[in-house]
Amino acid sequence: MQLDEEGTAEGAPQTAAAEDGVVRALSLANALLNRPGGLTREQIFDKIELYRARRDERDRLVGSQRQRADDALEKLFGHDKEHLRSCGIKLLEPTAEDDYRYRISRTQYGLPDLSLTSQERSALYRAQLQFARNTIAGLQHAVWAIDPEYDDAAGSPAAPRVVQSSIGSDTEVAHLLDISRIGLRAAITFRYTGRGRRQAETRRVVPLGMGVRGHWYLLAHDLDRDAQRTFRLDRVSGTISTLPAASLSEPESVTLKQITRGGRYAALDVAAEVDRNVAGFTEHDAVEGALRVHQDEAPGTLPKLTRGTSRRRRDDASTKTERVINMIALLLTRGGIRPSELLEKYSLTPDQLLRDLLSISLVTTDQYPDTLDVTPFPPLNDEQFITEYLTADQPIELRASGGAMDRPVSLTKPGAMSLLIALKSLIELCPPGDEHIAAAAESLQRKVMAIVPEPIAHAAESMSLAPQAAHRAVLRAAQQASSAGHAVELAYTDISGRSSTRVVEPVQVVHDGPHTYMRAWCRRAQGERFFRLDRIADLKPLPHDPQGERSAALSLSDSSGPQVPVTADSVSVVLRFSPSAAGQAFLYHPVKQHTEKVTGARTILTSFVTKEAVIGTCLRAGGDVEVIRPVELREEVAERALELLGQQQK
């Protein structure tokens, strides 16, 4: 145990502390790994401080109070054991044959060697590169856990013109992971705000599959409607939880058994069903929805808009334990890992990294060989940790007397899902000439599915990451031009509705949130440009017009992705996103925002490149996005909607 007397500057209050549940679980694992003969329950309580303190407090009580304290201690111990088992650690319950000792076998601890081939290793790093600009949670750690000898600090193999991806918002991926943990074809419940709804309602469903077509969609059997339904995950709010069997009616229980046993939805084509649902909302529906919300007067007052910060959902104790036990393995194996690298590898906020480091520092039984020493020891104040510790970014070393926890124990559940998404993306979005990478990704995918929790493997297997059907021909042509190194001629309509024809040199396909772009060198603009696939009316390959040096250089350079340019024509607007569309607000780069507590609707202050861009966005949103200020622009959206509806009726 590290007791740091200089960890916080004089006068700086302590604002951070280790998390007891994580410390207990890790101390339990460390103690048992260092003692092949095992420990009895009382020996564990005696050696691990956080148990010992509770046991001693229990021993001072008598009668029913002592019994309640003993029950609480046993319940706590049970939770900690389950947290370790959820990480994939085989903690054996004691029996009379082994003197009632708990054991963790060193030989069964950690991930198995997947014996990667050179082709599978190339696919692994291509998957990592694909998400290099917008890393999905846990992917960096998963790559290291699969191949611990790979040093990403030295740089990964070059992969020019690799697809760059960012599939889904943090909220969507968190919901995706929640469903995956519970498992497909199990009854779940959540709050959902459908299109046009003002408030969320409770839905009870049986998940059948998931797919991404810009947004993540859940295909499920709706128990209350006894029919198949599709749900957009950014419209789900609150907790996704398992439905107790006792809460189901007899017909619902029969339906669940039919689905679980494969007698119903056995031949379900997830990709086709997601395509059909995405295409179901027509242009006429969208314009009618826009008119409905814009024809009333704008609100007289605005809610108080503040500068928003991205908020990550707090992990539960099991997730934290899994992450920290893998972080220990990384620090023991590599040594000298900078805080900035840990923030990236585990997709952490600074305050969570501080608490993880403090939890590691308290993993002990006060006896050799169980101590772990973190150097440099972090301060106990959040602000000081950010301004001093993170700014210095001095490599962190972890010294262990026993070294029992020096192997990655799992991919972590977010890491497993992230890696499987990345591999599936390589397979389904494979550009011409990279078929060998797709084949290696399929082989690696099978190996990974064999070592991850079964519900996550089943969920990943059910996913469809293919592009929208309407965009596939354009995407394929863009990929072929990029691979072959020739130009293309585009008929393109920008966000403001301005049409143009131009010759460009494609260098990458970029999946950014709900949109897919072609990154290219534009000869007309003489610079880098991003063209949204759904705005390309026509793409004509120019096989005899080779790309030049500027596009070749562009293909090897990093990019910050599609950006909203600020020009003299830029328009500042206040938009309200309906409760069902609140999750999309982050795509519009809000300067300030406000979220309604009751409905979840979100109001933001942002800017658009032109007035026409604002009008077009609202008309396509189907009533999910409305202009609040300026009032004149709101009225113009309503007038344009009326005009379009009149034209459609002719």
Side-chain angles (χ1 to χ4, degrees), residues 367-619:
Q367 290 184 354
Y368 180 87
D370 298 332
T371 55
L372 294 175
D373 294 322
V374 177
T375 305
F377 192 83
L380 306 180
N381 178 275
D382 290 272
E383 183 177 351
Q384 189 180 350
F385 179 71
I386 293 171
T387 58
E388 297 178 13
Y389 199 89
L390 293 185
T391 300
D393 208 22
Q394 182 178 340
I396 299 171
E397 294 184 1
L398 183 61
R399 301 187 184 94
S401 302
M405 304 174 75
D406 59 355
R407 293 175 60 191
V409 70
S410 69
L411 300 185
T412 75
K413 292 177 183 66
M417 182 57 70
S418 296
L419 180 57
L420 289 171
I421 289 174
L423 291 173
K424 191 127 187 176
S425 179
L426 277 184
I427 297 164
E428 296 194 9
L429 303 175
C430 172
D434 277 356
E435 288 78 9
H436 63 294
I437 293 292
E442 285 189 82
S443 174
L444 180 55
Q445 182 186 53
R446 288 192 292 272
K447 290 183 177 181
V448 173
M449 282 185 169
I451 65 169
V452 303
E454 193 173 289
I456 288 182
H458 287 166
E461 192 174 19
S462 80
M463 289 178 186
S464 169
L465 272 65
Q468 292 185 38
H471 304 160
R472 288 170 194 164
V474 172
L475 174 63
R476 191 70 176 171
Q479 290 175 326
Q480 288 174 337
S482 177
S483 276
H486 63 73
V488 299
E489 184 178 81
L490 293 184
Y492 189 73
T493 303
D494 67 16
I495 191 173
S496 300
R498 298 172 298 204
S499 298
S500 64
T501 301
R502 60 184 77 198
V503 174
V504 305
E505 300 171 15
V507 298
Q508 276 180 326
V509 172
V510 176
H511 301 279
D512 190 66
H515 303 302
T516 300
Y517 296 83
M518 178 176 66
R519 182 188 180 202
W521 177 266
C522 179
R523 292 180 180 175
R524 191 178 80 171
Q526 286 295 292
E528 176 189 33
R529 291 293 185 271
F530 288 83
F531 301 94
R532 255 176 59 177
L533 261 59
D534 59 335
R535 294 182 184 148
I536 297 176
D538 188 39
L539 188 150
K540 177 182 177 183
L542 302 175
H544 303 298
D545 189 347
Q547 297 185 7
E549 294 181 359
R550 289 170 294 191
S551 60
L554 187 64
S555 69
L556 298 174
S557 67
D558 291 330
S559 171
S560 57
Q563 301 293 314
V564 179
V566 178
T567 69
D569 295 325
S570 293
V571 177
S572 179
V573 293
V574 175
L575 301 178
R576 183 184 185 274
F577 289 75
S578 72
S580 62
Q584 301 177 55
F586 80 99
L587 297 169
Y588 295 85
H589 309 286
V591 177
K592 294 182 178 181
Q593 58 185 313
H594 170 80
T595 302
E596 296 175 15
K597 289 184 179 180
V598 176
T599 67
R602 190 162 297 160
T603 302
I604 70 168
L605 170 66
T606 188
S607 62
F608 280 71
V609 66
T610 63
K611 182 176 67 173
E612 284 297 322
V614 181
I615 295 172
T617 296
C618 293
L619 292 174

Side-chain angles (χ1 to χ4, degrees), residues 130-324:
Q130 181 165 307
F131 289 88
R133 187 168 59 81
N134 288 306
T135 303
I136 47 183
L139 178 61
Q140 300 283 24
H141 171 269
V143 171
W144 170 75
I146 290 292
D147 188 9
E149 295 184 5
Y150 170 68
D151 183 4
D152 57 356
S156 50
R161 296 176 178 163
V162 66
V163 172
Q164 292 288 311
S165 296
S166 170
I167 297 181
S169 65
D170 287 345
T171 299
E172 289 176 293
V173 175
H175 291 326
L176 177 73
L177 187 59
D178 285 342
I179 296 168
S180 302
R181 282 172 172 152
I182 295 171
L184 298 182
R185 301 176 187 268
I188 65 172
T189 182
F190 50 76
R191 300 280 289 169
Y192 187 76
T193 310
R195 181 184 289 277
R197 299 279 184 177
R198 288 290 176 178
Q199 289 187 338
E201 60 180 353
T202 299
R203 306 301 287 265
R204 304 182 313 131
V205 307
V206 181
L208 305 171
M210 290 169 280
V212 64
R213 298 294 187 272
H215 293 284
W216 276 102
Y217 293 86
L218 168 67
L219 200 63
H221 177 84
D222 190 312
L223 290 168
D224 294 306
R225 293 155 182 81
D226 194 26
Q228 181 182 308
R229 292 289 187 270
T230 302
F231 303 89
R232 229 172 76 176
L233 289 187
D234 64 334
R235 293 177 176 165
V236 172
S237 57
T239 303
I240 298 175
S241 57
T242 305
L243 269 174
S247 70
L248 301 179
S249 66
E250 186 174 343
E252 289 169 348
S253 297
V254 171
T255 297
L256 179 59
K257 286 180 182 178
Q258 292 173 340
I259 295 172
T260 303
R261 294 170 181 173
R264 193 167 178 182
Y265 300 112
L268 184 69
D269 186 334
V270 174
E273 288 297 315
V274 174
D275 275 342
R276 182 177 65 82
N277 281 279
V278 170
F281 192 65
T282 67
E283 181 181 351
H284 180 83
D285 294 333
V287 176
E288 274 194 335
L291 177 61
R292 185 174 60 252
V293 298
H294 284 89
Q295 61 189 355
D296 297 331
E297 288 188 12
T301 59
L302 292 176
K304 184 178 180 181
L305 302 178
T306 58
R307 295 189 180 276
T309 57
S310 61
R311 290 180 293 178
R312 292 179 57 85
R313 187 178 61 172
R314 291 187 65 83
D315 294 327
D316 58 27
S318 179
T319 301
K320 291 174 184 175
T321 300
E322 186 177 36
R323 179 182 64 242
V324 176

